[in-house]
Amino acid sequence: MLNKKIEDAFNLQFNAEAYSAYLYLSMAAWFESRNLPGFAMWLKVQAQEEMTHALRFYNFIHARGGRVTLTAIETPPAEWNSPLQVFEETYKHEQKVTGLINNLVDLSQQEHDHASDVFLQWFVNEQVEEESNASKTVEKLKLAKDNPSALLMLDTEMGTRVFLVPPVLAPTIGFGGLGAAGAAA
Ligand code: FEO
């Protein structure tokens, strides 16, 4: 059984993950409007992944006898100055999410909730990848600078990303659906 403090904190994290999906979809729309479909595709896949992160919390809260309550999702920004700025903000956003996850780990340990602690370890690992993906793209965009050919090549590379349906979306919720460490994103 989840205690109220953790239930509330996990519901807030559900909202934060849903906001991440909204933010990345807004960024994707910005790239669509600039005829850079590869960056848009990468961000659309990222938005789908963020919803699976939210659903991990949804499944876990209910599996532990808690209740998911949905709250309003903040309106994300819609305009950026450059592709580089988009990915600098992505990197900054992922660092913020890492901080939120770390706070949840601290809370679950303070509350002696070992199941929540284990559940969150998947997110601790995932955030390493999330930050790394964003910072690598920042570095590539810095190298491309104002070179249109380099930007178009990078756009093609980014467009190869595909969304892999993770167990968290499977119709029958097994343990993998709770976000066990080692399960696919
Ligand atoms: Fe769900 Fe990008 O962290």
Side-chain angles (χ1 to χ4, degrees):
M1 183 80 189
L2 273 187
N3 77 26
K4 181 80 179 122
K5 250 191 217 176
I6 293 188
E7 182 185 88
D8 289 348
F10 280 14
N11 268 305
L12 275 178
Q13 190 62 28
F14 177 97
N15 184 286
E17 300 290 348
Y19 174 77
S20 298
Y22 236 43
L23 173 65
Y24 295 143
L25 209 48
S26 183
M27 289 171 166
W30 183 86
F31 277 111
E32 308 269 11
S33 73
R34 271 147 190 82
N35 294 317
L36 290 166
F39 285 100
M41 174 58 74
W42 195 94
L43 284 156
K44 279 188 280 189
V45 171
Q46 187 62 27
Q48 285 176 292
E49 279 203 3
E50 296 299 350
M51 278 315 296
T52 69
H53 295 173
L55 287 169
R56 281 175 187 271
F57 281 96
Y58 177 102
N59 290 346
F60 186 80
I61 290 168
H62 284 142
R64 297 282 312 283
R67 172 76 158 90
V68 169
T69 39
L70 302 186
T71 50
I73 300 168
E74 191 187 326
T75 303
E79 293 298 334
W80 291 270
N81 296 327
S82 65
L84 176 59
Q85 194 200 10
V86 172
F87 277 89
E88 281 174 339
E89 301 221 344
T90 297
Y91 185 34
K92 215 187 295 172
H93 182 71
E94 287 303 331
Q95 289 173 297
K96 184 177 154 192
V97 173
T98 299
L100 295 176
I101 296 293
N102 288 343
N103 290 343
L104 293 177
V105 171
D106 290 345
L107 178 65
S108 65
Q109 290 175 356
Q110 280 157 21
E111 297 294 314
H112 306 293
D113 184 340
H114 302 296
S116 290
D117 190 15
V118 170
F119 165 74
L120 289 166
Q121 294 313 306
W122 183 90
F123 285 91
V124 171
N125 290 326
E126 176 70 4
Q127 283 311 119
V128 174
E129 191 187 319
E130 295 280 78
E131 285 193 30
S132 165
N133 285 342
S135 80
K136 278 181 189 155
T137 306
V138 165
E139 291 314 310
K140 286 178 186 174
L141 283 165
K142 280 182 183 167
L143 283 174
K145 272 202 174 153
D146 299 324
N147 181 334
S149 306
L151 188 63
L152 288 175
M153 270 178 64
L154 197 47
D155 188 62
T156 302
E157 182 190 318
M158 297 292 275
T160 61
R161 185 178 188 191
V162 287
F163 177 63
L164 301 172
V165 179
V168 72
L169 293 182
T172 305
I173 298 164
F175 183 68
L178 300 177

